[in-house]
Amino acid sequence: MSKKVRVRFAPSPTGPLHIGGVRTALFNYLFAKKHGGDFILRIEDTDQNRYVEGAEQYIIDSLNWCGIPFDEGIGKDGGHGPYRQSERKSIYKKYADELIKNGKAYYAFDSSESLDAHRKNHEEKGKTFIYNWHNRLKLDNSLSLMPEEVQQRLDNGDEFVIRFLNPPDEKLELTDIIRGSIQIDTNVLDDKVLFKSDGMPTYHLANVVDDHLMEITHVIRGEEWLPSLALHKQLYDAFGWDSPEFAHLPLIMKPIGKGKLSKRDGEKLGFPVFPLSWNESVGYKEEGYFPEAVVNFLALLGWNPGTEQELFSLDELVAAFSLERVNKSGARFDPEKTKWYNQHYLQQTPDVELAKSFLPIVKEQITNESYVNIEYVTKVVALIKERAVFVSDFWELSDYFFVAPKEYNEKATKKQLKEDTADIMNDLIATIKTIKDFSSENTETLVKAWIAEKELSFGKVMPPLRLFLVGDMKGPHIFDIMSMIGREESISRIETALNKLG
Ligand code: GLU
């Protein structure tokens, strides 16, 4: 690769970015960084009817949250701006005109009513209407009309579109880095509209012109754009420009493996499909995912490192990534696997960082000052995080570190409460009262010594003790819990349980 690599992510701001879009952005980012290139964000907003307020900012916020910011784009001028197509409007017309001049495109005056009528007519005969070599001379355009009439219509200000003049009987040889070579017979292609009656270019023209002007070297985008590749390649040729290389990424499939992953799948199965929340749809961020987890699982949707490795930091992804290792076939989305990734990244996060996120949740639950502080909460986090997938799991896993149990697991109560339990526990209270150094280790040593001395079995002491302190049979090492809540609280909980459970 001699030229500096420049790739772009070119979303249309028609709504929130789907995670499939984030994956496209990520693969662009990884490819750019791997080759020391630039990652450009271009907003393709030529279709004003589909413009959604806030979508552009959402896209930018999403990339930033994922930690894959663009190098060049809105607010980051790299000398190839503007980066919003609506602000480049004046650029495109001259390229459309150039194609007309060179005989590669033509004016078409057909009204939408007449095109609809053709379509309907074809449908009734079980056919599909395609505007191309087959019928273009029978339609209302600068190929079928006399030049004078064309000029007159243009002078009159009649509405027109500019269509690409697709040559018949050509075999196009297209190359895609992921899919290899693709042959297309131009007879199946239609004369796509390049320039619309509203004075705006269509996606195809704007996309190709901008990729050229922005010196894009590699176009990495979703498979849904593969059918556009033929036209895009033809446009580069028509302009006499070198075309970039293309890579069309496989679709992300529903968890069942068939069909494209949709927003509705997320709603039905209860997992996010957006990076950030958008109206009622909860995003990965708000659901409690770490951006590192999202980036990691997205990277492995359609790409594989060729090894068994599944956990990758962003730097590791940059180092390992290659388009040659992107699969052709769709990548099945597995919502359970995303949790597995999050659990991993949660374990990697320093306890104090997790505690900072957990502290506000604790504050909502209790006011007790001796517990609502970062030191205590950090210690709690260290003891319980192992079982958590999200910070939002913490309270349920650790409530007994903050509040005495209000009820006791019924099944466990039945099983653990024996005739002699009250006597043993009262005796244990007496022992606990004598323990000065209430650290976990010391308490454990002394309680175990007392058990040995009294010739009690562990089963008679430890399970009821846990039930009384926690209200359930869950939780980490019981002496860690005792040491954390303190001697007075431990005693009080045992007494309360004895009173309540009779
Ligand atoms: N604007 C197109 C989109 O919304 C861009 C496709 C492309 O990357 O060429 O995905």
Side-chain angles (χ1 to χ4, degrees), residues 196-368:
K196 296 179 286 183
S197 53
D198 64 0
M200 280 291 219
T202 57
Y203 154 72
H204 302 293
L205 180 68
N207 187 271
V208 166
V209 167
D210 285 349
D211 281 346
H212 171 71
L213 295 178
M214 294 183 178
E215 299 183 71
I216 299 304
T217 57
H218 296 78
V219 169
I220 304 167
R221 60 186 172 192
E223 184 183 294
E224 61 273 30
W225 303 102
L226 192 58
S228 303
L229 178 58
L231 174 62
H232 293 188
K233 181 69 175 59
Q234 286 176 305
L235 284 172
Y236 283 101
D237 293 347
F239 284 118
W241 297 336
D242 284 342
S243 90
E245 291 190 54
F246 291 91
H248 289 86
L249 307 175
L251 296 176
I252 299 182
M253 312 299 278
K254 293 180 195 299
I256 52 160
K258 275 200 206 119
K260 196 175 155 185
L261 180 71
S262 75
K263 183 180 162 204
R264 252 187 294 133
D265 297 316
E267 279 161 8
K268 255 196 313 212
L269 299 168
F271 61 82
V273 295
F274 299 126
L276 313 176
S277 289
W278 176 268
N279 299 332
E280 272 83 61
S281 305
V282 180
Y284 275 91
K285 177 183 176 202
E286 292 76 8
E287 188 77 13
Y289 279 84
F290 293 91
E292 294 84 355
V294 173
V295 161
N296 196 156
F297 81 68
L298 283 179
L300 281 112
L301 280 176
W303 169 80
N304 73 82
T307 64
E308 295 292 299
Q309 187 177 347
E310 291 187 290
L311 296 164
F312 286 88
S313 69
L314 189 59
D315 286 344
E316 288 170 330
L317 285 173
V318 168
F321 187 76
S322 80
L323 287 171
E324 285 72 22
R325 295 217 71 93
V326 174
N327 312 328
K328 285 199 244 334
S329 51
R332 190 177 71 84
F333 182 76
D334 179 355
E336 285 313 308
K337 194 75 192 208
T338 65
K339 292 185 189 157
W340 178 83
Y341 278 107
N342 211 59
Q343 181 159 28
H344 167 79
Y345 284 96
L346 186 138
Q347 307 312 320
Q348 302 285 303
T349 306
D351 298 338
V352 64
E353 291 308 315
L354 295 171
K356 278 182 203 157
S357 309
F358 183 36
L359 192 59
I361 302 176
V362 175
K363 274 188 188 151
E364 265 173 40
Q365 299 283 350
I366 57 159
T367 48
N368 187 338

Side-chain angles (χ1 to χ4, degrees), residues 1-6 31 35 177 217-218 245 324:
M1 262 173 260
S2 48
K3 268 202 269 173
K4 182 174 193 195
V5 164
R6 285 172 62 80
F31 186 78
H35 297 286
I177 297 174
T217 57
H218 296 78
E245 291 190 54
E324 285 72 22

Side-chain angles (χ1 to χ4, degrees), residues 8-14 24 42-45 85 203 207 211 219-222 224-225 232:
R8 87 302 191 273
F9 177 50
S12 299
T14 54
T24 300
R42 181 173 73 231
I43 298 294
E44 302 212 322
D45 57 349
Q85 287 186 329
Y203 154 72
N207 187 271
D211 281 346
V219 169
I220 304 167
R221 60 186 172 192
E224 61 273 30
W225 303 102
H232 293 188

